[in-house]
Amino acid sequence: MKVFILNGPNLGRLGSREPDVYGSATHEDLINYCTQAGESLGLEVQVRQTDSETELIGWLHDAADAQAPVILNPAAFTHYSYALRDACAMLAGPLIEVHLTNPAAREEFRHTSVVSAVASGVISGFGVFSYILALQAIAAMQPVEK
Ligand code: DQA
C-alpha cells in the first residue's frame, strides 16, 4: 500500500523556519521519521514538498488516479486555496489533513481550513508526530489481509 505524504509551502524550511513554533526537526528528518514509521506499519511512504500550488494539485491528481491514501499538510494553502480543496475532493482514498501546530490555538486567519470538510480526518498540534499518528490511522483503516 502506497501512501502519499504531501507538504505545502515553506515546510521545506523546517528546522530553520520559526523553530520556536515548528520545532527543530528538518524536512529531511520528517522524511526519515515517516519512512521508518511506514516500514514498521507495512506502508510504502512517499514524502514530497513543494511551494507551488500548481505542483501540489498535480500530485493530488496523481494520488486520485492511483486511488492512494494521502496525508496532506497544505500549510498556508489550508486557509484559502479552494483549488486545493477541489483537488482533495477528487481523491478516492482516505485523506488526512495534518498540521505540526494547532492552528485553532494560533492567529485568527489560521482558524479556517477550506480542506477539512473534504478530509477523512484532521490531526494537528503534535509536531512531526502528527504525521506518525496519521500513518497509524491509515494502517488501521486497511482491511486485514487473509
Ligand atoms: C501549518 C499551519 C499553517 O497555518 C501554516 O501556514 C503552515 C504550517 C502547520 O503544520 O502547523 O505553514 O500547516
Side-chain angles (χ1 to χ4, degrees):
M1 161 73 50
K2 187 168 185 168
V3 181
F4 287 67
I5 300 184
L6 306 179
N7 285 323
N10 301 308
L11 293 170
R13 309 287 293 184
L14 286 177
S16 60
R17 175 193 183 193
E18 299 180 85
D20 46 320
V21 177
Y22 294 107
S24 57
T26 63
H27 193 262
E28 200 56 38
D29 294 333
L30 178 88
I31 293 173
N32 292 333
Y33 296 144
C34 291
T35 306
Q36 280 169 25
E39 272 167 21
S40 68
L41 292 165
L43 301 171
E44 188 195 332
V45 166
Q46 194 177 100
V47 187
R48 301 179 186 172
Q49 189 277 327
T50 182
D51 295 331
S52 154
E53 188 178 23
T54 310
E55 191 167 33
L56 193 52
I57 288 169
W59 291 343
L60 287 164
H61 293 169
D62 293 344
D65 291 344
Q67 304 200 333
V70 175
I71 295 170
L72 174 66
N73 186 341
F77 293 147
T78 307
H79 313 301
Y80 65 89
S81 175
Y82 297 123
L84 196 73
R85 177 210 162 102
D86 285 350
C88 289
M90 284 186 240
L91 292 169
L95 167 67
I96 304 187
E97 176 185 343
V98 297
H99 299 281
L100 295 153
T101 64
N102 176 5
R106 299 183 61 197
E107 302 96 320
E108 186 104 30
F109 76 90
R110 298 185 203 276
H111 297 182
T112 299
S113 168
V114 299
V115 172
S116 296
V118 292
S120 315
V122 183
I123 301 173
S124 305
F126 299 99
V128 171
F129 200 58
S130 293
Y131 292 78
I132 309 301
L133 291 169
L135 282 167
Q136 289 174 349
I138 285 175
M141 280 189 270
Q142 298 316 306
V144 178
E145 278 182 38
K146 296 196 181 133

